Amino acid sequence: MVAERQRGDSGSEAEAPEDRKPQSDEAGSAFTSPLGIPIPPPPEDEHPTSEFALPKGLAVEPEPEPEGSAFTAPAGTTPSASTTQGTLFPAFTPPHGIPMVQLTKEVPWQDRMRTMLRMPVSERPVPERVDKQDESGPAIPRVLDLTLRIGEILLAGGEGAEDVEAAMFGVAHAYGLERIEPTVTFTLLSISYQPSLVDDPLTASRTVRRRGVDYTRLSAVYRLVAAITSRGLTLEEAYRGLAEIRRNRHPYPGWALTVASGTLAGAASMLVGGDALVFVAAAVGAMLGDRLAWLASGRGLPEFYQFVVAAMPPAAMGMTLSIAHADVQVSAVITGGLFALIPGRALVAGVQDGLTGYYITASARLLEVMYLIVGIVIGVLTVLYCGLQFSPRLNPEQALRQYDVPVVQIIASMLLALSFCVLLQQERHTVLFATFNGGIAWIVFGSLANVADPKLNPVAATTIAAGVVGLFGQLLSRYRYASALPYVTAAIGPLLPGSATYYGLLNFARGDLGPGVASLIKAASLALAIAVGVNLGGEVARLFLRAPGVEAVGAGRRAAKRTRGF
């Protein structure tokens, strides 16, 4: 009965659905239209209007200008150095974002990379990524290896730590490695790459065990780095270029270096008043010392002993002439030999590293210079002490005699610089510039120390002359997109303190410690004046050049390491 009733109900529901009554209150909805009333059409806009929307016909108010900062310069005013420093590198992110730093490739890579090294990692521009079809990206271990090998050649050639780091950073940055940190510590090179803040860093290092002077190879490496950073060489092309640089022989043979060493000593002797006989004696002594140093090097003796044996023949030549009672200026013979041995290149590099904030590398280089000078002192003092037992005619006052013949001294200074160029294995097209730069250095020094009224102190005159050398060298290096060392190192040769060094050593040999110490302090002051002047001249050249990526007027540039001690 129940089943039949259910079937009857279902049948009646199918026949007349409108007569069916709801069984409960859940069967109907209060929002359902009643039966018999037509459903209204849907609204044109399905999304309801917000009560915060502006009504039609009402003008839209312009957006308010962003609030200015108390630390930014008002519109229409010239910002000061401190203001531009704050706007270029703000401590907090401004409301409109940090301006993008663009380093165009028309600027020399040394300036571009030095600017990036002095930036925080978060502010460095992202390297350009080139999507290639045949390879997904650079092999990171090979990029790091190439970077270290390039840095090794530069550091072994005597380049400053900051320039070595800039070259390493430029190579790695050119191959798409963003978060990298190169480090140079005298003989140790290391580089660390971290893909992101959550990834483990990859670090590689390399030790420079042998160092040699070859500015031709140094210039070739500079051209290779310029090609990598500007023209986008592949890794294989860069490795081939580096292999060719390492295979190339020195431009000058060994006999040419020996002759250049003798010519340098002879020119230096003429610079302090020597004649033709003094020129020959100083040249022969320097060439004998050079051959002995090569022999000691071939036997594996340390560089300290090489300088000891190299300093003995020039001093022995002067003592021989003194014992023979020859009418020559013995002090000029020994002074000429000292000019060829004083490590001016290492001294300039050490002081430059200290001034740019690389204190560990600077300390190590200056310590090396001290050891080499001690070797020279030991070699010369040994000969002088033995010679004074046979000939007491040596007079320290000879070293104080003023010699002022401008024409002879200018020619001697240029010949000295030319000989230094050969010893430094420079490219032939740089020899002429460095030679003239050496002559200009001596003209400036002689004018200030001998002709000016009042005459300047030799230390001050040396600083100014070295500053002119550094200025010209930096401008020439920028013009040729090369290192400044070939144009600077040889040109400072005429300014080296050979006379003061000889005078101090001779007083030590005679037992006059007071005058000897005073003279050696003067020699050290002159050497430091040369180094500081060269660095100052280079910084003056950069001071008046716009920093890459800085478009604001009067914008400052990043300090090398720290500013004002904090």
Side-chain angles (χ1 to χ4, degrees):
M1 295 292 291
V2 176
E4 292 177 358
R5 188 176 299 173
Q6 291 177 351
R7 285 194 299 272
D9 293 340
S10 62
S12 61
E13 182 179 0
E15 295 174 0
E18 65 276 0
D19 297 336
R20 182 174 178 268
K21 297 181 180 181
Q23 297 179 1
S24 63
D25 294 339
E26 298 176 359
S29 173
F31 299 98
T32 305
S33 300
L35 297 175
I37 297 178
I39 301 175
E44 296 180 0
D45 189 5
E46 297 181 357
H47 302 283
T49 305
S50 172
E51 61 180 351
F52 300 102
L54 288 173
K56 292 182 178 181
L58 213 64
V60 181
E61 296 182 1
E63 297 182 1
E65 297 182 358
E67 296 182 0
S69 172
F71 301 98
T72 57
T77 60
T78 302
S80 61
S82 60
T83 305
T84 52
Q85 186 73 11
T87 55
L88 284 175
F89 307 102
F92 303 98
T93 304
H96 52 274
I98 298 177
M100 179 179 178
V101 179
Q102 296 181 353
L103 302 177
T104 59
K105 292 185 178 180
E106 287 76 15
V107 181
W109 66 265
Q110 300 98 312
D111 291 345
R112 288 187 282 128
M113 296 306 123
R114 190 181 293 111
T115 301
M116 294 182 66
L117 275 177
R118 298 177 183 182
M119 288 183 183
V121 178
S122 59
E123 296 180 10
R124 292 173 181 170
V126 179
E128 300 177 3
R129 296 188 178 276
V130 180
D131 296 331
K132 298 182 180 180
Q133 299 179 357
D134 54 345
E135 53 184 58
S136 59
I140 295 177
R142 296 194 68 199
V143 172
L144 298 183
D145 177 70
L146 175 67
T147 303
L148 289 173
R149 290 179 182 273
I150 290 177
E152 178 188 8
I153 296 179
L154 292 176
L155 188 61
E159 191 61 84
E162 185 180 26
D163 292 328
V164 176
E165 282 194 3
M168 294 172 63
F169 186 88
V171 172
H173 191 269
Y175 289 112
L177 304 187
E178 301 176 19
R179 307 179 65 88
I180 61 161
E181 289 297 337
T183 304
V184 177
T185 309
F186 191 46
T187 59
L188 179 64
L189 297 166
S190 64
I191 186 169
S192 178
Y193 169 65
Q194 190 174 16
S196 66
L197 293 176
V198 297
D199 293 328
D200 295 332
L202 179 63
T203 303
S205 62
R206 195 173 183 89
T207 302
V208 179
R209 302 191 183 277
R210 296 188 62 185
R211 285 173 292 171
V213 182
D214 189 346
Y215 282 179
T216 298
R217 182 175 295 180
L218 193 70
S219 301
V221 174
Y222 262 69
R223 289 193 293 269
L224 177 62
V225 175
I228 292 174
T229 56
S230 301
R231 298 201 300 267
L233 296 182
T234 63
L235 273 176
E236 296 301 327
E237 293 173 342
Y239 265 110
R240 279 199 299 269
L242 187 62
E244 291 177 1
I245 292 173
R246 300 182 71 95
R247 281 197 303 266
N248 288 341
R249 294 184 177 182
H250 301 305
Y252 305 104
W255 64 266
L257 299 181
T258 302
V259 172
S261 178
T263 307
L264 189 153
S269 66
M270 293 183 63
L271 200 63
V272 294
D275 52 12
L277 181 59
V278 171
F279 182 96
V280 173
V284 172
M287 287 190 289
L288 289 176
D290 182 76
R291 286 294 92 190
L292 285 177
W294 277 104
L295 180 62
S297 175
R299 298 297 180 181
L301 292 179
E303 197 171 14
F304 174 83
Y305 298 105
Q306 297 176 28
F307 272 78
V308 172
V309 298
M312 288 183 174
M317 183 65 65
M319 295 302 303
T320 302
L321 293 176
S322 176
I323 295 173
H325 299 284
D327 188 14
V328 296
Q329 189 178 351
V330 178
S331 61
V333 176
I334 302 177
T335 300
L338 291 177
F339 264 88
L341 295 176
I342 295 176
R345 175 182 58 88
L347 178 65
V348 171
V351 174
Q352 180 181 358
D353 289 340
L355 294 176
T356 52
Y358 295 84
Y359 301 115
I360 297 178
T361 306
S363 302
R365 279 182 165 169
L366 292 178
L367 184 63
E368 178 189 32
V369 170
M370 186 189 73
Y371 271 105
L372 298 181
I373 291 178
V374 169
I376 297 173
V377 169
I378 292 175
V380 175
L381 272 182
T382 303
V383 176
L384 288 180
Y385 183 79
C386 296
L388 286 175
Q389 309 303 319
F390 300 96
S391 176
R393 297 177 60 247
L394 290 179
N395 185 8
E397 299 300 328
Q398 279 187 332
L400 297 178
R401 191 182 70 178
Q402 291 293 332
Y403 180 72
D404 187 14
V405 182
V407 176
V408 176
Q409 289 178 310
I410 292 174
I411 295 176
S413 63
M414 296 178 66
L415 184 60
L416 192 152
L418 175 63
S419 303
F420 255 124
C421 291
V422 177
L423 289 175
L424 295 174
Q425 301 279 2
Q426 292 188 194
E427 292 179 306
R428 289 176 173 83
H429 66 83
T430 65
V431 171
L432 184 63
F433 293 101
T435 301
F436 278 109
N437 205 7
I440 292 173
W442 184 260
I443 291 173
V444 173
F445 171 78
S447 301
L448 296 176
N450 300 327
V451 180
D453 187 19
K455 298 180 181 179
L456 283 185
N457 183 277
V459 176
T462 301
T463 304
I464 297 175
V468 173
V469 170
L471 177 63
F472 285 175
Q474 190 64 230
L475 294 177
L476 286 171
S477 69
R478 289 181 59 84
Y479 174 71
R480 294 185 172 271
Y481 283 41
S483 172
L485 289 180
Y487 304 103
V488 169
T489 307
I492 65 173
L495 303 176
L496 293 176
S499 298
T501 305
Y502 164 73
Y503 178 47
L505 297 181
L506 183 56
N507 276 286
F508 275 141
R510 292 169 58 93
D512 300 330
L513 299 183
V517 170
S519 183
L520 288 183
I521 291 177
K522 179 182 177 181
S525 302
L526 291 173
L528 291 178
I530 294 172
V532 173
V534 168
N535 182 265
L536 182 61
E539 293 300 326
V540 167
R542 298 191 190 106
L543 185 64
F544 295 99
L545 300 172
R546 173 176 289 184
V550 177
E551 301 296 337
V553 179
R557 72 172 66 228
R558 290 274 185 175
K561 283 295 182 181
R562 296 186 299 174
T563 304
R564 295 186 299 276
F566 54 84

